[in-house]
Amino acid sequence: MYERSIQDLIEELSRLPGIGPKGAQRIAFFLLDSDMEDVTALADAIIRAKQTVKFCRVCFNATEEEVCRICRDTRRDQTKICVVEESKDIVAIERTREFKGLYHVLGGSISPIDNRGPADLRIRELVQRLEDGAVTEIILATNPNTEGEVTATYLSRLLSPLGIQLSRLASGLPVGGDLEYADEITLGRAFEGRRTVSV
């Protein structure tokens, strides 16, 4: 339908997560309508990031150094590790300014449909980080979906014998949400995580 170069661009863009064929088509024509300097700057930024970004050898967060800035920060609580699926989850948690410990990035979640099991995640590396006994709490902050729940359950069973305190992020109703629109899992979690009201 389109010229080969345009079709190739649309196909490559549609491989990106969250970008369907229509979105890829819109982005492709946006890029074609953009100034060459803007397109070159985008291409350069992608190539530069791909060439310079690596994974922290301690926690596997995305970084330009061998060890990320969070792992290098001696002011952080070395006794707590928050386990997340991806580096982007760290950014979301850091924005809250509530957690002052360290992180461990699994690199995904257990997903039989995607043919991804525990051996495909950085679980072995997490267990190795616990060997010296310095960590006293693991916070499981996997996503509140089926894959995240399976991963959290697997980690709970694996780590329980180590005698380390395990906790899971609370989940439930969002602020400003209506009960009638909540799904059963979210509403169930809200009941599980209910707190005593003090007057």
Side-chain angles (χ1 to χ4, degrees):
M1 181 175 190
Y2 294 113
E3 295 292 328
R4 185 71 252 164
S5 57
I6 298 172
Q7 190 61 43
D8 288 347
L9 178 58
I10 292 170
E11 286 173 12
E12 289 303 316
L13 289 169
S14 66
R15 294 175 54 199
L16 297 172
I19 307 289
K22 290 285 187 194
Q25 182 178 309
R26 278 194 297 278
I27 294 169
F29 280 99
F30 171 81
L31 292 172
L32 291 172
D33 289 338
S34 297
D35 293 335
M36 191 61 181
E37 298 82 41
D38 294 336
V39 175
T40 302
L42 173 62
D44 289 345
I46 293 170
I47 292 168
R48 190 169 51 255
K50 189 64 181 163
Q51 289 173 339
T52 61
V53 174
K54 55 188 119 201
F55 295 107
C56 172
R57 65 179 167 82
V58 177
C59 73
F60 301 96
N61 186 15
T63 180
E64 292 183 354
E65 309 291 329
E66 286 297 312
V67 177
C68 73
R69 70 175 171 77
I70 293 174
C71 288
R72 289 193 316 263
D73 188 347
T74 56
R75 296 168 300 172
R76 297 195 74 107
D77 186 345
Q78 309 289 309
T79 66
K80 292 177 174 49
I81 293 180
C82 181
V83 178
V84 298
E85 293 179 22
E86 305 288 348
S87 291
K88 62 183 188 242
D89 301 328
I90 292 176
V91 174
I93 294 170
E94 285 294 292
R95 276 198 307 258
T96 69
R97 297 188 177 148
E98 291 291 324
F99 182 67
K100 305 294 184 212
L102 302 175
Y103 293 94
H104 187 84
V105 181
L106 294 171
S109 57
I110 297 170
S111 176
I113 282 181
D114 298 319
N115 210 19
R116 193 169 54 241
D120 299 310
L121 306 179
R122 297 185 190 105
I123 295 173
R124 185 178 69 251
E125 293 85 348
L126 173 61
V127 173
Q128 288 171 351
R129 289 181 71 184
L130 306 177
E131 288 175 353
D132 65 3
V135 175
T136 59
E137 182 182 6
I138 296 286
I139 301 160
L140 301 174
T142 54
N143 290 322
N145 55 27
T146 304
E147 292 84 3
E149 291 301 315
V150 168
T151 306
T153 301
Y154 178 86
L155 289 172
S156 296
R157 290 182 180 149
L158 178 71
L159 302 176
S160 289
L162 301 179
I164 297 171
Q165 179 185 344
L166 295 172
S167 58
R168 179 96 167 99
L169 286 187
S171 59
L173 296 171
V175 174
D178 293 324
L179 287 178
E180 66 179 303
Y181 299 117
D183 61 88
E184 295 84 9
I185 294 173
T186 301
L187 201 49
R189 282 294 163 74
F191 271 99
E192 285 174 18
R194 67 188 182 276
R195 296 180 307 219
T196 303
V197 177
S198 55
V199 181

